Structure formats: structure tokens, C-alpha cells
Amino acid sequence: MTRTTYHHGALRQALIDGAREILAEGGHEQFSLNEVARRAGVSTAAPYRHFSGKDELLAAVAEQGYATLHASLERASADTADVRERLLRLAGAYVRFAHDHPDLFVTMFRSRPGADPVGHDSFEVLLQAVVDAQATALIPAKPSPELMARSIWATLHGLAVLSLRQPHQRFGMDEPPEDLATSTLSAMFGL
Amino acid sequence: MTRTTYHHGALRQALIDGAREILAEGGHEQFSLNEVARRAGVSTAAPYRHFSGKDELLAAVAEQGYATLHASLERASADTADVRERLLRLAGAYVRFAHDHPDLFVTMFRSRPGADPVGHDSFEVLLQAVVDAQATALIPAKPSPELMARSIWATLHGLAVLSLRQPHQRFGMDEPPEDLATSTLSAMFGL
DNA sequence: ACCTGAACACCGTTCAAGT
DNA sequence: ACCTGAACACCGTTCAAGT
């Protein structure tokens, strides 16, 4: 009920926050631009001063997601110098991100392609770890770092998506999400 | 404009077909239950005699997707007796399915979890190939078939999702979709 | 049994008007 | 410059009524 006057684009951030709130509560089913406006205490037309429409607001949410994911991966990567440990922590961090922020994760991979770099920065972090892992012969040097990183990225993404969808079936929740990633990766490369 | 009278649940299938048509044309953005009814030449209330609502119609579409995927994998699996070849063809078939039927693929993995077995049958096909591949020492016998199949499934799913999203970036379209899968798999296991 | 017609609350978006 | 109020076409869903 605090209908303070918004200034300097404070409404813009309030709308993004409100959108995340709704997505976290009820997912994309529940989401509506009118509801976002309502929560911010403004008219349904107000958001159009800050976003071209619903899609652009969701794109802004997705962008926050890319940034958050990148930060998570950087943190995991900086944690340790050991190459094997670093690779596994990166893997764990990716899947954990999806489980910690399903609202962001789903939004990131729902928006129409083209606009998003799908975590360009994030891919670079993984790529560097792969380069190092190949240099120390931890994993095969054969496919190029790019291709290898792509394969690993796809695996992590698949694990994240599938484990998010069916927690109790084959993509278990018995093990915590990051263990799912690390065990899968170490199984594939015999780490 | 053929407003024939529907009988014996012929409308049900007509609605599913119409839904697929719309999804194939304009994706989920474009989809609406009213539009489906319009295309079938019935009132907007008519679909409710056959489906509890929009979600149930989409679930029916998803089910057709699961069946189609399963059939594709069976066909790929039956094609050859050579274990290596079979595994690679299965991998190719999964990613190819996503590219051949993006409307089905997206719908399958969009519906709320719980209801779907995420291609229970399909997983069994892959599982069998993994069992055979482990038996002939084509791939490591170490992680259980279940875990190994899960890892491979996740990889294929990730490749499908990501290549569908960004055809021209890192998950290339230079190579046809099935090559993406086979090359990734052979890279991981050195096949 | 299956479908229509009309209605309801809600949505995304637009635009003239206010301050 | 930023927001409101009112409007538009459209959506998902319901329900009495028709055949």
C-alpha cells in the first residue's frame, strides 16, 4: 500500500522485482504484466514507460539471471586452484543455480532466442576450466576445448532441466543437485 | 469452412491437430484455445466437452510427442545390430526429433511435471543400448547402466534444447542436428 | 451426448489527458 | 518526463439453453 512516487527509474527495478516475486511464487502460469503493475501500485499502463511490453520485462529478468549465474560460476571457479576440483565445482554450481533460482533459470531459457547470449560470460568460465583440464590431461585433449566445453555445458543443462522437472524419478533428488552434476561428470570422464 | 458435424470424438482429434498446427506455425506465443476452436469451426465452449481446459489439450499434444519420440528411437535402434552404431543412431535420433518436431518437443517439456513420465518408454530404449555398450566394453562399465543412461540422456537433451535455441552460435547448425549428437557422444567416450 | 450463445473476469496494449 | 483512466480486442472458462 506504500504508493510512493517513483523517480529516476526506481519503478523499473520495482517492476523487475515484482516480476521475480510472482515467478518465484507461481511460475509462468501465474505471471501477468497487470499483476506486476498492481503489486507496484501503479496503473497497468505505467510499465510501458519502462518496457516495450511483457516480453521486454521478462528479458530484463532473464538478464539478471545471466548475471547471477555468471557470478555463481566465477565464485565456484575462484574457490580452488586444483583443476579437477574446479571443473567439478563449476558443474555443481550450474545445476545448483537452476535449483536455487528456478524462476530465473526457466525465464532465461524461455525468452525467444536471438536476443540472449545464453550466458556468453558463463560459457567462457567453463571454457577456461576445460582448457586447463585438457592441459593437465585430466580429460581427453582430442576434441577442441570449444567442442568439449559445449558437450559438458549441454550435459549440465540437460541435468538441470530434467532434474528440475522430475525430482523424484530418474533424475534424483535423493542426492543434492550439485552431486548430480559432479557424479555425472566424474562418471563420464572417470575422474 | 467445412463445418461438418463431429461424431465419435472426431472433434477431439481435430482439436489436437489444430493445436499442433498452431504450435508449428507460431509457437506457444500464438497458441490459444479459442483459436483452436475457431479452426475446427466450433464454438469456444466446444473443446470443454473433450478436455478439462487448455492444459489438458496441450498434455494430449505432449503425449503424441512422447509416442512419436519413442517410435523414432525404436526405429533408430532396430536399424542396426552393431552396438556402437546403435548408440550413435539413438543419440542422433533424439536430437533430430527435437529439430523435426520443435512444436512437440517444446510442448513435452513445458507441461507441468508430475503428469509426464518424460518418455519412460524412450528411456528404456536408451537404457538397453547402454547395457549392451557396457557389456561389449564400448563404454566404461563403472557407473551403473541407469546412471550412465541418465548422463547420456541429459547430454542429448541439453544438446537438443541449446541447439534449438541458438542455431548459429556455439551449438552449431553448420553440422546437421544428428551429427551434433553423434560427434558429442563419440568425443566424450572416444568412440 | 454434444454443441451454441452469451456472459464473466482477466489479459496485453494503446492513447488522450493530467501533473 | 512519468503516470492515470478509459478503452480495445482478445483470452480462458462457465452455464443455461438448444438439438
Side-chain angles (χ1 to χ4, degrees):
Chain A
M1 291 295 125
T2 36
R3 180 190 278 257
T4 62
T5 301
Y6 290 103
H7 39 22
H8 347 314
L11 175 55
R12 191 190 139 90
Q13 189 56 46
L15 292 171
I16 295 177
D17 292 345
R20 290 197 54 181
E21 230 179 80
I22 298 173
L23 290 171
E25 283 173 25
H28 279 263
E29 248 81 307
Q30 231 66 4
F31 184 85
S32 105
L33 193 49
N34 287 4
E35 174 64 21
V36 174
R38 228 172 279 130
R39 293 205 185 197
V42 295
S43 78
T44 62
Y48 288 86
R49 288 297 124 189
H50 299 274
F51 302 99
S52 71
K54 187 190 178 186
D55 288 352
E56 204 173 287
L57 171 54
L58 286 173
V61 171
E63 232 173 287
Q64 288 203 348
Y66 290 120
T68 305
L69 172 60
H70 182 228
S72 291
L73 296 185
E74 283 288 17
R75 206 175 327 111
S77 188
D79 257 7
T80 170
D82 179 58
V83 180
R84 177 178 172 281
E85 193 72 15
R86 181 147 57 100
L87 193 60
L88 292 181
R89 289 207 190 193
L90 273 178
Y94 190 92
V95 177
R96 168 155 278 288
F97 170 80
H99 278 79
D100 282 350
H101 308 287
D103 57 319
L104 288 176
F105 188 75
V106 170
T107 305
M108 287 159 68
F109 294 98
R110 226 175 198 250
S111 61
R112 273 260 161 262
D116 70 283
V118 152
H120 184 83
D121 300 340
S122 293
F123 187 83
E124 297 302 323
V125 179
L126 177 62
L127 184 58
Q128 187 54 54
V130 167
V131 168
D132 295 347
Q134 287 184 321
T136 59
L138 182 70
I139 61 177
K142 184 81 168 309
S144 73
E146 282 269 350
L147 290 185
M148 194 57 118
R150 180 180 79 177
S151 301
I152 294 173
W153 184 275
T155 304
L156 298 177
H157 189 75
L159 284 173
V161 169
L162 296 175
S163 68
L164 221 47
R165 284 187 58 79
Q166 18 183 286
H168 297 307
Q169 252 166 299
R170 293 207 203 271
F171 294 82
M173 211 47 191
D174 340 337
E175 31 184 356
E178 55 262 54
D179 288 3
L180 182 66
T182 55
S183 71
T184 296
L185 222 61
S186 50
M188 285 187 134
F189 295 109
L191 300 187
Chain B
M1 289 297 125
T2 36
R3 181 190 280 256
T4 64
T5 301
Y6 290 103
H7 39 24
H8 347 314
L11 176 54
R12 191 190 139 91
Q13 189 56 47
L15 292 170
I16 294 176
D17 293 345
R20 289 197 54 180
E21 231 179 80
I22 299 172
L23 290 172
E25 283 172 25
H28 279 263
E29 249 81 308
Q30 232 66 4
F31 184 86
S32 104
L33 193 49
N34 286 4
E35 174 64 22
V36 174
R38 227 171 279 130
R39 293 203 183 197
V42 294
S43 78
T44 63
Y48 289 86
R49 288 297 125 190
H50 300 274
F51 302 98
S52 72
K54 186 189 178 187
D55 289 352
E56 205 174 286
L57 172 53
L58 286 173
V61 171
E63 232 172 288
Q64 287 203 349
Y66 290 121
T68 304
L69 172 60
H70 182 228
S72 291
L73 296 185
E74 283 289 15
R75 207 176 325 112
S77 187
D79 257 6
T80 173
D82 179 58
V83 180
R84 176 178 171 279
E85 194 70 15
R86 181 147 57 98
L87 193 61
L88 292 181
R89 290 207 190 193
L90 272 179
Y94 190 93
V95 177
R96 169 155 276 289
F97 169 80
H99 278 80
D100 283 349
H101 308 287
D103 56 319
L104 288 177
F105 188 75
V106 170
T107 305
M108 287 158 68
F109 294 98
R110 225 175 199 251
S111 62
R112 274 259 160 261
D116 70 283
V118 152
H120 184 83
D121 301 340
S122 294
F123 187 83
E124 297 302 323
V125 179
L126 177 62
L127 183 59
Q128 188 54 53
V130 167
V131 167
D132 295 347
Q134 287 184 322
T136 59
L138 182 70
I139 60 177
K142 184 83 168 309
S144 72
E146 281 270 351
L147 290 185
M148 194 57 118
R150 180 180 80 178
S151 301
I152 294 173
W153 183 276
T155 303
L156 298 177
H157 189 75
L159 284 173
V161 170
L162 295 175
S163 68
L164 221 48
R165 284 186 58 81
Q166 18 184 285
H168 297 307
Q169 251 166 300
R170 293 207 204 271
F171 294 83
M173 211 50 189
D174 339 337
E175 29 183 358
E178 56 262 54
D179 289 2
L180 182 66
T182 55
S183 71
T184 296
L185 221 61
S186 50
M188 285 186 134
F189 295 110
L191 301 186

